[in-house]
Amino acid sequence: MSIQPVELNKAYRLLQLGPTTMISAKNNGIENVMAAAWVGLVGNNKVMAFIGPQAFTRGLVEKSGYYVVQVPVVNQMEMVLYAGGHSYSDTPEKNNKIPLFYQKEFDLPLVVGCAGWLVCKVIPNEENEKQHNLFMGEIVGAWSDDRVFRNGHWIFDDASDELRTVHYVAGGQFYAIGKGTKFNYGPGKD
């Protein structure tokens, strides 16, 4: 084993292995999708998302009070990079290249083909939003592609490789989630 120092300005990458996500929002008839690497759970019913001030989507979230977190899969990597590399402010036609759909309960755009979707209602916290660009949302709607998530569990070993979630690690490099390993450790809830 060889232990080496990590530059502090890149140390966050040691924990940035969660799934790559896309955030969508809509307000006043305008919808947008952005790529987002810094999204995570807070407890079991809240999602914290970093949405920088330069993101067009941020204004939609601030005005509507909602955002959707999508979990894209391998065959969507090019779309994720496109969504992350183009702003609606400069390229309003960008969403024509990102297929969207709606669930009847919410007037919010969801990206077609993802493994999962979480609709989040913003829990306002002006200090976190302005000083840290962090938006906390309560999960108020959720759906999954049952080929990869069923009965409350990921089932990637039973799915094709193109349906695996992706994990962005910088510089255009993605990894797909790997093969599962199960251990029997005694009785449990899940």
Side-chain angles (χ1 to χ4, degrees):
M1 178 168 82
S2 175
I3 297 175
Q4 62 181 344
V6 175
E7 295 175 45
L8 293 182
N9 66 344
K10 293 189 173 140
Y12 69 90
R13 292 180 179 171
L14 290 170
L15 293 177
Q16 187 188 351
L17 288 173
T20 296
T21 64
M22 298 172 78
I23 295 176
S24 59
K26 180 178 178 181
N27 186 64
N28 206 19
I30 299 172
E31 56 193 18
N32 195 46
V33 179
M34 64 178 272
W38 295 359
V39 174
L41 286 171
V42 180
N44 63 358
N45 69 339
K46 294 178 184 67
V47 175
M48 185 72 78
F50 175 87
I51 307 174
Q54 77 287 357
F56 182 85
T57 304
R58 180 179 175 142
L60 300 177
V61 171
E62 290 173 333
K63 292 173 186 163
S64 72
Y66 288 88
Y67 59 93
V68 181
V69 176
Q70 277 92 186
V71 182
V73 296
V74 168
N75 63 4
Q76 295 177 301
M77 287 186 286
E78 189 175 329
M79 182 188 345
V80 170
L81 288 173
Y82 179 80
H86 295 83
S87 173
Y88 183 92
S89 299
D90 304 323
T91 315
E93 68 279 1
K94 88 175 217 183
N95 291 329
N96 296 339
K97 295 185 178 189
I98 302 172
L100 303 173
F101 73 101
Y102 284 78
Q103 290 291 80
K104 64 181 178 180
E105 301 93 338
F106 298 95
D107 186 29
L108 294 163
L110 285 75
V111 177
V112 171
C114 292
W117 303 264
L118 300 165
V119 173
C120 301
K121 182 178 181 181
V122 173
I123 301 168
N125 184 321
E126 189 174 339
E127 181 178 347
N128 277 339
E129 293 163 13
K130 294 211 183 297
Q131 288 186 357
H132 306 293
N133 302 312
L134 293 173
F135 289 78
M136 175 136 14
E138 179 182 2
I139 300 170
V140 295
W143 301 270
S144 68
D145 180 330
D146 69 359
R147 295 175 293 174
V148 291
F149 188 92
R150 191 169 45 241
N151 299 321
H153 294 277
W154 290 106
I155 50 172
F156 292 114
D157 289 341
D158 298 336
S160 61
D161 287 345
E162 62 267 5
L163 293 175
R164 294 179 181 275
T165 57
V166 292
H167 308 266
Y168 186 71
V169 295
Q173 178 71 41
F174 288 90
Y175 288 95
I177 194 162
K179 184 165 178 54
T181 303
K182 185 168 183 160
F183 294 94
N184 287 328
Y185 56 88
K189 292 182 179 180
D190 283 325

